[in-house]
Amino acid sequence: MKQDAVVLERLNFAYPGGGAGIFDLSMRMEPGELIVCIGPSGCGKTTLLKLIAGFLKPDSGTVTLAGHDVTAASVRERGCGIVFQSYALFPHMRVWENISYPLRVRGADEKRRRDKAAEMLAMIGLPELGERLPAQLSGGQQQRVALARALAFEPRVLLLDEPLSALDAATRVAMRDEIRRIPKARGIAALLITHDQDEALSLADRIAVLRDGRLVQLDEPHALYDRPADSFVAGFVGRANIIDGTADGPEAGRFPLGRLATPAHGRPDGASLRLLVRPERLEPLAQAGGENAFEVRVLHDRFYGATRQLELEVGEALLKLETTSRQPVTHVRVPRHAMQFLPH
């Protein structure tokens, strides 16, 4: 049976004098798995990373890495590779010295350090740059060096704190592929913190959504997007139309935009209903007709090349629509299959 790389059990940590922290959080990570952690500012993402790395000690609960309970262990004893947003490269050290620095502090001789640096430089696609200083590298190259340094001593787990936020858009996309490829190839579990939802959805094997220090949902990206656990996740991950109404028959409801035929909901008439409809699942129409079709007034129409994002007034509701159509939109259909019921 494969051993989990990281096991967090009932983890609790509260900062003095406030309600911020991590509360009753349990999570497992497999070797080679990349989990991306997202949530609003102050939700506990960086606190979680620090608890795994050992910069903070939990008030209760356990941290297990590769089968070893490290709850009371020091940062060095835990053996985590850490990549910071600022890269944190030593400006006076050459690239190969930066990469091999974790081996230097562990007593490795120069030949071993040079050999490992050469191996890591080849891995990140910068084999000719070992003698340069960090200031002579681009931002993307510096980030690759920081990643190589974090992996040089073969850590138990890789922790990345918003590592791509300082990069330009094109470099950020290229580095996503490297961050996904390299730890997976070496069988190292990785936890990445980001505010970028596109980054999370495109990178992660699973996404952890935190709110007020609690783990709200941990799931594969498509499951998180298609089947969010609640209204918070639905509204936080991607764009969403969340529509409140009341049941009006076993497969219908009354909502601010009008009466909708819905999937069977099993609620008595008058009971509260909450619908999630993703903007890309609404159907734009150039004329009236058919089930759940409504006349609209276009408030905003933003063109993004491949897609358009529209804001529509429908009855007493405002809806977001995303479409590839270039045609005028006078009506919109809300298909039954596009609806999901959410808990209040």
Side-chain angles (χ1 to χ4, degrees):
M1 182 177 178
K2 183 165 62 175
Q3 186 179 68
D4 288 316
V6 180
V7 179
L8 309 178
E9 290 282 357
R10 306 295 299 271
L11 214 57
N12 286 279
F13 173 84
Y15 289 100
I22 290 291
F23 306 105
D24 199 32
L25 189 148
S26 296
M27 185 170 71
R28 293 174 179 265
M29 298 174 61
E30 296 181 356
E33 183 179 29
L34 173 59
I35 289 182
V36 178
C37 186
I38 62 175
S41 296
C43 70
K45 300 184 297 293
T46 299
T47 301
L48 176 61
L49 183 146
K50 289 179 177 180
L51 286 167
I52 296 173
F55 294 117
L56 296 174
K57 297 295 190 292
D59 299 326
S60 63
T62 58
V63 179
T64 303
L65 303 182
H68 300 281
D69 186 340
V70 297
T71 309
S74 67
V75 173
R76 181 171 175 178
E77 290 170 330
R78 295 188 187 205
C80 296
I82 305 172
V83 180
F84 298 102
Q85 179 180 349
S86 61
Y87 316 144
L89 300 178
F90 297 112
H92 62 286
M93 290 186 183
R94 290 167 290 180
V95 164
W96 80 265
E97 293 172 310
N98 266 285
I99 291 174
S100 63
Y101 184 77
L103 300 179
R104 175 180 166 184
V105 299
R106 287 166 172 79
D109 60 36
E110 183 173 335
K111 182 180 185 305
R112 184 185 169 201
R113 299 201 310 271
R114 283 186 174 273
D115 288 347
K116 175 57 76 170
E119 175 192 335
M120 301 305 290
L121 282 164
M123 179 191 70
I124 62 173
L126 303 175
E128 308 299 325
L129 303 186
E131 296 298 323
R132 292 192 184 182
L133 293 172
Q136 298 171 304
L137 304 180
S138 69
Q141 289 170 336
Q142 290 185 47
Q143 189 59 275
R144 287 171 188 254
V145 171
L147 180 60
R149 181 179 62 185
L151 293 169
F153 67 102
E154 300 180 0
R156 290 170 167 172
V157 61
L158 179 65
L159 304 172
L160 305 109
D161 191 2
E162 299 204 50
L164 306 181
S165 60
L167 302 177
D168 62 81
T171 306
R172 193 158 59 239
V173 171
M175 278 302 302
R176 286 177 190 171
D177 294 337
E178 293 301 292
I179 284 175
R180 182 170 175 82
R181 175 183 67 83
I182 294 172
K184 194 168 289 292
R186 303 176 83 86
I188 298 172
L191 177 74
L192 182 146
I193 291 172
T194 184
H195 281 93
D196 188 324
Q197 293 183 21
D198 289 340
E199 193 170 286
L201 290 167
S202 64
L203 265 177
D205 293 310
R206 291 187 293 163
I207 298 175
V209 183
L210 267 62
R211 183 185 189 188
D212 298 332
R214 299 183 183 277
L215 181 61
V216 181
Q217 188 169 358
L218 175 60
D219 223 327
E220 295 177 359
H222 65 84
L224 193 82
Y225 186 82
D226 292 337
R227 298 184 298 279
D230 58 21
S231 301
F232 168 75
V233 178
F236 189 79
V237 180
R239 301 172 75 236
N241 295 299
I242 298 174
I243 313 165
D244 287 330
T246 56
D248 185 27
E251 296 184 29
R254 294 199 174 275
F255 299 89
L257 66 164
R259 191 175 190 273
L260 284 172
T262 70
H265 49 68
R267 306 296 300 277
D269 286 359
S272 296
L273 298 176
R274 175 167 288 176
L275 287 180
L276 164 66
V277 183
R278 294 292 185 184
E280 69 275 11
R281 304 197 70 186
L282 293 173
E283 297 177 3
L285 303 172
Q287 59 186 16
E291 182 181 76
N292 291 349
F294 302 92
E295 186 176 4
V296 307
R297 184 165 73 94
V298 177
L299 302 179
H300 299 285
D301 187 347
R302 300 181 178 91
F303 178 65
Y304 291 95
T307 63
R308 292 160 67 196
Q309 292 182 358
L310 295 88
E311 294 179 19
L312 310 174
E313 185 177 70
V314 188
E316 297 180 3
L318 298 177
L319 294 183
K320 305 180 189 78
L321 166 68
E322 185 169 330
T323 179
T324 59
S325 171
R326 305 288 179 88
Q327 301 302 312
V329 178
T330 62
H331 293 72
V332 70
R333 187 191 322 282
V334 187
R336 289 197 201 210
H337 62 76
M339 302 175 191
Q340 177 184 339
F341 294 109
L342 293 174
H344 276 270

